[in-house]
């Protein structure tokens, strides 16, 4: 099937959102935890978390346009602290439920049954049910003028994970602990390792490691 | 296990790269196809493709720092055209092989055995073996000053995909056609649908759809 720019433009809005959110393939599935200055917690599912660099360790995510209420983003701006928590197959339902537009005074933790966890005096809440938990500090918000979205850049401060998935060379086998992916806006995918390959060099064969 | 900022800083470089590339969860697995003005083709595996918006349909990816040769990026800058092609389980080996640092005059198509495909007179090559193929036009390159990476923003011009995975509401079931994800720097994951949920609203139950 072949769709042109004009075909895509003419799609009904929700249909187009489903399609364009799907075409990039598997997306990461995370929950961003925050707490505002009044100590109300907030939790939000995101599928746009992206690795920016390892030294310093930087992670970004795409923030949707201003205009609607954006509790998570407001909390990040005002406190500079947030957490990124992996979604696993046991919590896809409550994770998806965090995407409902709850009023500002409601906490998605209470509304979805996910458990806030406070670790090492960090200001923002982690998700107890998650396997990989990252404490983040806001570094910069970079505007994407074309569509009024923003790239929120944060620095990794701390990481929590099960030691069983930590390989000797630093690789974290997140797929061994039920970490899921997201397809499109609303579909959760389990993952399974097919192959791990050696570092690719032009004149050397790649081997499975 | 708990790692602090200082622990992360002290990790050996490659170890840290493995770890930090793994912690964000499952990443999308795509090949970017380009052709320079001398008509040499280039192909590059990327795991940082991210959805930016649906109207207009925009997709981004993170370009690593300048300094080393970056053939794909140079071609995008000079021709404004590129393709994004999904990686499926049958081509993880050649896809990974495109990450080797081939000299400028070599084409990763020839070196890996993947097949260039020319569709609808588009300047850049698609990957014949891919199931989802996107023709892209460069819109903007946004610097990320913290680590000298860049967010490359492109507009979707055309999309090709198997009609069997196109649902009536626009969702593209990429997992039904063997689309894989990437964990860390070198690990390829198969994906399987767990659940698709209805749009979440505060006072309505979510149902599986």
């Amino acid at each position: 099937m072949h769709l042109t720019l004009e075909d895509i433009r003419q799609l009904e809005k929700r249909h187009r959102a489903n399609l364009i959110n799907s075409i990039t393939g598997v997306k990461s599935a995370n929950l961003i935890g925050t707490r505002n200055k009044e100590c109300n917690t907030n939790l939000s599912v995101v599928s746009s978390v992206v690795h920016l660099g390892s030294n310093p360790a930087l992670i970004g995510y795409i923030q949707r346009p201003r205009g609607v209420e954006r509790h998570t983003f407001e909390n990040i701006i005002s406190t500079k602290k947030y957490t990124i928590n992996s979604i696993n197959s046991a919590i896809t339902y409550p994770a998806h439920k965090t995407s409902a537009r709850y009023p500002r005074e409601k906490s998605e933790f209470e509304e979805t049954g996910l458990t806030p966890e406070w670790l090492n005096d960090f200001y923002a809440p982690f998700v107890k049910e998650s396997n990989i938990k990252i404490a983040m500090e806001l570094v910069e918000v970079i505007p994407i003028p074309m569509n009024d979205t923003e790239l929120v850049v944060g620095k990794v401060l701390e990481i929590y994970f099960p030691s069983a998935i930590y390989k000797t060379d630093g690789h974290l086998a997140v797929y061994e602990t039920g970490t899921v992916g997201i397809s499109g806006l609303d579909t959760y995918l389990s993952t399974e390792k097919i192959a791990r390959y050696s570092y690719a060099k032009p004149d050397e064969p790649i081997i499975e490691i």
Side-chain angles (χ1 to χ4, degrees), chain A:
Chain A
M1 203 160 160
H2 174 213
L3 295 180
T4 65
L5 185 59
E6 196 44 40
D7 295 333
I8 297 166
R9 267 201 201 118
Q10 287 180 6
L11 293 172
E12 180 271 323
K13 186 183 165 199
R14 187 89 194 155
H15 188 111
R16 181 174 52 231
N18 277 327
L19 177 67
I20 305 299
N21 269 281
S22 306
I23 57 174
T24 52
V26 192
K27 302 189 282 187
S28 58
N30 288 289
L31 289 158
I32 295 189
T34 56
R35 179 162 65 148
N36 68 12
K37 290 191 167 162
E38 290 73 46
C39 293
N40 298 317
T41 58
N42 203 282
L43 193 63
S44 178
V45 59
V46 286
S47 64
S48 62
V49 166
V50 62
H51 169 86
L52 298 179
S54 300
N55 190 23
L58 296 175
I59 296 175
Y61 81 91
I62 305 298
Q63 179 62 51
R64 296 176 64 188
R66 300 183 194 237
V68 295
E69 288 187 25
R70 308 191 294 174
H71 306 153
T72 291
F73 185 60
E74 289 164 19
N75 295 349
I76 292 175
I77 295 293
S78 69
T79 70
K80 312 292 185 211
K81 299 290 190 295
Y82 56 108
T83 67
I84 297 178
N85 308 269
S86 66
I87 300 175
N88 56 60
S89 52
I91 60 168
T92 59
Y93 183 93
H96 187 67
K97 204 157 185 275
T98 65
S99 64
R101 293 187 186 280
Y102 294 104
R104 186 181 303 270
E105 67 277 10
K106 298 265 189 183
S107 168
E108 285 80 6
F109 282 105
E110 281 169 41
E111 298 296 322
T112 66
L114 291 167
T115 315
E117 185 176 33
W118 305 98
L119 296 174
N120 205 18
D121 285 331
F122 194 66
Y123 189 80
F126 297 88
V127 177
K128 193 178 174 58
E129 291 83 357
S130 291
N131 294 312
I132 296 112
K133 306 170 199 193
I134 313 170
M136 298 290 301
E137 183 174 72
L138 178 66
V139 169
E140 202 171 0
V141 178
I142 299 177
I144 303 171
M146 267 297 287
N147 68 350
D148 291 329
T149 55
E150 286 153 301
L151 176 65
V152 180
V153 178
K155 186 166 82 171
V156 174
L157 296 182
E158 297 176 83
I159 319 173
Y160 299 86
F161 52 85
S163 55
I165 65 168
Y166 194 29
K167 307 300 171 186
T168 52
D169 61 0
H171 180 71
L172 212 59
V174 298
Y175 39 89
E176 288 178 4
T177 187
T179 301
V180 301
I182 292 179
S183 169
L185 290 165
D186 46 26
T187 303
Y188 293 80
L189 309 177
S190 63
T191 58
E192 202 169 328
K193 179 179 165 181
I194 303 175
R196 187 174 182 203
Y197 295 121
S198 60
Y199 190 81
K201 294 182 180 177
D203 297 317
E204 286 178 24
I206 292 169
I207 55 167
E208 289 207 27
I209 59 174

